[in-house]
């Protein structure tokens, strides 16, 4: 037979185990009731200057604390205290474009004026978007077109898109996987025909790509 004391709220609880029938003897021991760990914390949305993190709601907690660092194993600073357990997202603003940031979250419950904390969630690795790239030159050759752009700080690489109509029908035609490679030549085009190009950067973070906005469209009339 099991019987308990003080086993509802956070703190120290007691369990007494007693034998039944032919089994005799009793033992009493204490155990701790502690806060749970935030199990699900995911990056939500990014801009060039902000990141929003989102996590699963926990019932029976008072709120949450959000911590941030610029290094996964570096020092984390508390950036927000959320005082309602129904609010499960936080937007951090005034960040630098194209940079990695790391977040973790923990829940807390206030009992008798004292905060009791759960363990930290797994670290959320994310990044702000890079600045929008700009195509600086678009030149025509014989059945080919070359575009060039400025190197974008923080980008992993670039994606190049092309269409035969300025307002629609863009398809990805190439991916430059090096930040330093800032030009692309498209061959086997039709003479005397106009082509439209735009690009965007991507930044690979924790195996996922974070994309910038598209550049303005550049027009090339092939020779």
């Amino acid at each position: 037979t099991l019987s308990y004391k003080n086993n509802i709220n956070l703190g120290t609880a007691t369990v007494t185990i007693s034998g039944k029938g032919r089994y005799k003897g009793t033992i009493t021991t204490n155990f701790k009731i502690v806060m749970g760990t935030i199990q699900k914390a995911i990056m939500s949305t990014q801009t060039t200057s902000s990141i929003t993190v989102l996590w699963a709601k926990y019932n029976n907690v008072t709120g949450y604390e959000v911590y941030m660092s610029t290094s996964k194993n570096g020092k984390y600073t508390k950036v927000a205290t959320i005082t309602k357990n129904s609010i499960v997202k936080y937007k951090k603003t005034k960040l630098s474009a194209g940079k990695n940031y790391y977040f973790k979250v923990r829940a807390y419950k206030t009992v008798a004026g004292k905060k009791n904390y759960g363990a930290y969630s797994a670290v959320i690795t994310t990044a702000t978007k890079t600045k929008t790239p700009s195509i600086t030159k678009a030149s025509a050759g014989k059945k080919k077109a070359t575009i060039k752009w400025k190197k974008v700080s923080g980008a992993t690489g670039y994606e190049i898109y092309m269409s035969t109509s300025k307002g629609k029908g863009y398809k990805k035609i190439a991916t430059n996987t090096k930040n330093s490679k800032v030009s692309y030549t498209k061959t086997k085009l039709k003479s005397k025909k106009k082509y439209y190009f735009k690009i965007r950067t991507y930044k690979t973070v924790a195996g996922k790509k974070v994309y910038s906005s598209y550049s303005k469209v550049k027009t090339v009339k092939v020779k």
Side-chain angles (χ1 to χ4, degrees), residues 2-43:
L2 304 179
S3 60
Y4 298 90
K5 289 183 180 179
N6 302 320
N7 66 316
I8 303 300
N9 297 315
L10 297 175
T12 301
T14 302
V15 59
T16 299
I17 307 167
S18 303
K20 294 177 67 175
R22 294 184 300 164
Y23 299 94
K24 299 184 182 298
T26 299
I27 186 170
T28 298
T29 188
N30 295 329
F31 61 93
K32 292 285 187 180
I33 299 176
V34 299
M35 295 285 297
T37 303
I38 301 292
Q39 295 295 329
K40 187 178 181 182
I42 59 172
M43 174 272 299

Side-chain angles (χ1 to χ4, degrees), residues 64-76:
Y64 312 93
E65 292 184 346
V66 184
Y67 291 75
M68 187 190 80
S69 177
T70 55
S71 172
K72 186 173 184 178
N73 297 315
K75 181 180 178 180
Y76 284 78

Side-chain angles (χ1 to χ4, degrees), residues 8 22 53 58 70 81 88 93 96 98-99 131 143 173 177-178 198 204:
I8 303 300
R22 294 184 300 164
V53 290
Y58 264 56
T70 55
T81 298
V88 291
T93 59
S96 299
K99 288 195 67 175
K131 293 181 179 180
K143 294 186 178 182
I173 57 172
T177 58
K178 291 184 178 180
K198 62 182 180 181
T204 304

Side-chain angles (χ1 to χ4, degrees), residues 141-145 186-191 222-223:
K142 188 175 181 180
K143 294 186 178 182
K144 65 181 181 179
K186 175 63 176 173
T187 58
K188 298 181 181 179
L189 299 178
K190 293 182 179 180
S191 297
V222 176
K223 294 180 180 179

Side-chain angles (χ1 to χ4, degrees), residues 56-119:
K57 178 184 175 182
Y58 264 56
N59 293 320
N60 301 318
V61 302
T62 303
Y64 312 93
E65 292 184 346
V66 184
Y67 291 75
M68 187 190 80
S69 177
T70 55
S71 172
K72 186 173 184 178
N73 297 315
K75 181 180 178 180
Y76 284 78
T77 302
K78 184 169 68 174
V79 291
T81 298
I82 296 169
T83 58
K84 292 183 179 180
N85 78 332
S86 59
I87 299 175
V88 291
K89 67 178 180 179
Y90 171 69
K91 184 177 182 179
K92 176 61 178 172
T93 59
K94 298 181 181 179
L95 301 176
S96 299
K99 288 195 67 175
N100 287 14
Y101 291 93
Y102 304 86
F103 292 86
K104 57 186 179 181
V105 183
R106 66 176 179 176
Y108 72 90
K109 185 171 185 176
T110 303
V111 179
K114 181 181 178 181
K115 283 185 175 180
N116 296 268
Y117 293 99

